[in-house]
Amino acid sequence: MYSFALFLYRQLVRLVSYVKPKAHLWNAGQSEVWDGLEKTFANNNRPVAWFHTASLGEFEQGKPVIEAYRAQFPTHFILVTFFSPSGYEVRKHASGIDCVSYLPLDGFRSSERFLNLVKPTVAIFVKYEFWYFYLQGLRKRSIPAILISAIFRPNQVFFAWYGGFFRSLLQCFTQIFVQDDHSKALLDSIGLSHVQVGGDTRFDRVVQHLRQPKPWAVLDQFIDNQAFMVLGSVWQADMDVLIPLINSTEFSFKWVIVPHEIHVDELRKWESAIQLPTQFSTESPQSGAQVLIVNEVGYLSQIYRGASFAYIGGAFGAGLHNTLEASVYGPTVFFGNKNYTKFKEARDLVEFGLAYPIENTTDLANKMREIYDAEDVFVNKQVQARSFVSLQAGATQKIMNYLNEQSHGIK
């Protein structure tokens, strides 16, 4: 049934690839993946550390461990695989990594071919992605498979009465590092003992960003030492709430808009709806511009530095995006009130009064005004947000300590 589901998935992607750009990229990537892997590994004789990240968010989550691994084992070959085009296309030329590739779709033959070709010394999966044949193949070969920054919830299939197949996937991991005690308790309840609370490596990642500023001339020139608010990873549902606030001119901010996905027609629609002078980051600077729409990728994690407030998109739709990228710099964070509760860090930020789920434009404006008009509150929240993030860093070191202690041929 699992194999048949994968077959149907592949056929469906092929079908919709004619009309869906992401599906087209994934389909093309799967068609070319073996040629790239064969060329890369045909003559490799270095130990291979295989990191699998589903998409861009998981890659950023795993990046601190990748960098720490590179520093600890400089002679090893680092392979990073992606499932999603949104991760692969952005990070296919990432520095410090020997090879970035799509992961061939799971299957008995494809997993055997991949593992026999790559011959990983260790496999590290970030947060999600449970591929049956790959995990079984690693287990059969006694290759340590480690899951990091994982988080589990009671309503997941692993804990259902019919979830035996999925529970068997978790048994394939040599070690599981979870983000919190609640996740560990859930895994304990189904008899998993190879579990350790390690924390969330995203805290380490954003602290790295804080300590390693990367000035961006386009942003610096646009801000010109004025107060600004960042609207990060936003979708149309978010902009329906935010554009009326921008147009109200209630706050004399400059506004930096970073879409989650860049679609030219959609961005032009936003530009037309915004009544303030607006420029795109790829265009020549415009004197008097009050709104900057960032129509290029790779800058968001640094854009939050110095912001008075931050709005994080996604919660009015499929799910909230990364709040920690903003919080590490101190701004109070806002997001939609529909789909954020499955994200632990978002719940924690709300509990500590460092983030606010909002219902509509009026709700957002009122909450911003309460904070902005009380200078002591405004400053205290900035200090508390930075402390909240920095105090939870350290997951990477726990994972590296485990790797260093192992005698599975990693060294």
Side-chain angles (χ1 to χ4, degrees):
M1 290 179 63
Y2 176 78
S3 297
F4 184 61
L6 291 175
F7 170 77
L8 290 180
Y9 180 84
R10 183 63 190 267
Q11 302 312 310
L12 178 62
V13 172
R14 284 173 173 164
L15 182 64
V16 301
S17 65
Y18 297 101
V19 294
K20 297 288 186 180
K22 271 191 175 181
H24 175 75
L25 287 171
W26 186 86
N27 191 53
Q30 288 291 318
S31 299
E32 300 167 358
V33 65
W34 289 114
D35 286 343
L37 289 172
E38 292 282 357
K39 291 176 182 176
T40 299
F41 289 98
N43 299 308
N44 176 60
N45 56 9
R46 296 159 58 191
V48 176
W50 169 32
F51 290 82
H52 179 63
T53 62
S55 190
L56 185 59
E58 288 75 26
F59 174 82
E60 293 300 323
Q61 197 159 24
K63 189 71 180 297
V65 181
I66 295 171
E67 292 176 347
Y69 191 97
R70 168 63 76 201
Q72 184 67 34
F73 305 109
T75 62
H76 287 202
F77 187 104
I78 293 181
L79 165 68
V80 173
T81 57
F82 285 97
F83 182 77
S84 168
S86 61
Y88 175 79
E89 292 297 327
V90 175
R91 291 292 181 256
K92 59 186 175 182
H93 300 302
S95 61
I97 298 170
D98 297 292
C99 177
V100 179
S101 172
Y102 278 103
L103 179 68
L105 188 62
D106 196 20
F108 177 77
R109 291 187 180 85
S110 60
S111 64
E112 289 285 300
R113 182 180 178 184
F114 177 88
L115 293 173
N116 289 337
L117 175 64
V118 173
K119 299 180 178 65
T121 299
V122 61
I124 299 174
F125 292 71
V126 183
K127 192 174 183 179
Y128 299 126
E129 295 286 277
F130 307 99
W131 297 110
Y132 175 80
F133 290 109
Y134 281 110
L135 289 172
Q136 289 289 338
L138 291 167
R139 189 178 194 178
K140 181 176 69 175
R141 291 166 174 78
S142 298
I143 298 169
I146 302 164
L147 180 63
I148 66 172
S149 288
I151 192 162
F152 294 90
R153 297 181 296 278
N155 61 350
Q156 289 176 308
V157 68
F158 305 106
F159 312 106
W161 64 265
Y162 52 83
F165 171 79
F166 299 94
R167 288 191 287 273
S168 71
L169 302 182
L170 299 179
Q171 293 285 1
C172 292
F173 288 103
T174 312
Q175 183 74 359
I176 298 175
F177 287 90
V178 295
Q179 294 185 23
D180 56 20
D181 292 323
H182 181 64
S183 293
K184 186 178 187 305
L186 285 171
L187 295 182
D188 287 344
S189 72
I190 57 173
L192 294 182
S193 58
H194 53 292
V195 181
Q196 178 180 338
V197 178
D200 187 346
T201 52
R202 287 181 302 168
F203 287 95
D204 300 324
R205 183 62 175 155
V206 297
V207 168
Q208 285 180 340
H209 292 155
L210 178 67
R211 294 172 179 170
Q212 300 170 356
K214 297 179 181 178
W216 186 27
V218 171
L219 180 67
D220 293 341
Q221 186 171 3
F222 169 75
I223 297 301
D224 193 25
N225 295 315
Q226 297 182 49
F228 67 101
M229 180 169 178
V230 177
L231 316 179
S233 292
V234 290
W235 300 81
Q236 183 62 54
D238 301 298
M239 294 306 293
D240 289 340
V241 170
L242 295 164
I243 289 176
L245 179 65
I246 296 172
N247 289 340
S248 73
T249 66
E250 181 175 348
F251 296 91
S252 56
F253 296 150
K254 288 200 168 186
W255 303 84
V256 180
I257 301 172
V258 186
H260 185 66
E261 295 181 347
I262 297 175
H263 303 293
V264 175
D265 291 344
E266 184 175 58
L267 299 189
R268 290 297 180 187
K269 177 183 174 182
W270 295 354
E271 180 191 29
S272 298
I274 294 170
Q275 297 169 7
L276 299 180
T278 301
Q279 73 173 70
F280 287 87
S281 64
T282 55
E283 297 177 346
S284 300
Q286 298 181 22
S287 177
Q290 290 295 111
V291 179
L292 176 68
I293 298 177
V294 179
N295 58 333
E296 48 194 318
V297 299
Y299 295 100
L300 181 57
S301 62
Q302 296 288 340
I303 285 175
Y304 293 112
R305 185 184 297 271
S308 297
F309 292 118
Y311 177 96
I312 312 300
F316 282 126
L320 179 65
H321 298 301
N322 193 335
T323 54
L324 298 180
E325 282 186 329
S327 295
V328 69
Y329 296 109
T332 301
V333 169
F334 304 90
F335 43 75
N337 64 351
K338 303 298 183 186
N339 194 355
Y340 72 91
T341 56
K342 66 180 179 180
F343 302 96
K344 179 182 183 297
E345 70 281 1
R347 298 196 310 271
D348 289 344
L349 286 167
V350 171
E351 180 181 348
F352 294 129
L354 304 174
Y356 295 87
I358 59 96
E359 182 177 359
N360 52 40
T361 305
T362 301
D363 190 20
L364 173 58
N366 289 341
K367 286 184 170 66
M368 288 173 58
R369 180 57 65 192
E370 289 175 11
I371 299 167
Y372 196 64
D373 287 348
E375 185 174 353
D376 57 334
V377 174
F378 179 72
V379 173
N380 284 338
K381 285 184 180 294
Q382 289 186 321
V383 174
Q384 292 168 12
R386 296 189 193 107
S387 297
F388 168 82
V389 175
S390 62
L391 289 174
Q392 297 190 63
T396 299
Q397 190 57 55
K398 292 179 181 178
I399 295 165
M400 291 307 302
N401 288 344
Y402 173 82
L403 291 174
N404 286 323
E405 290 169 357
Q406 301 313 297
S407 58
H408 297 290
I410 294 175
K411 293 187 178 182

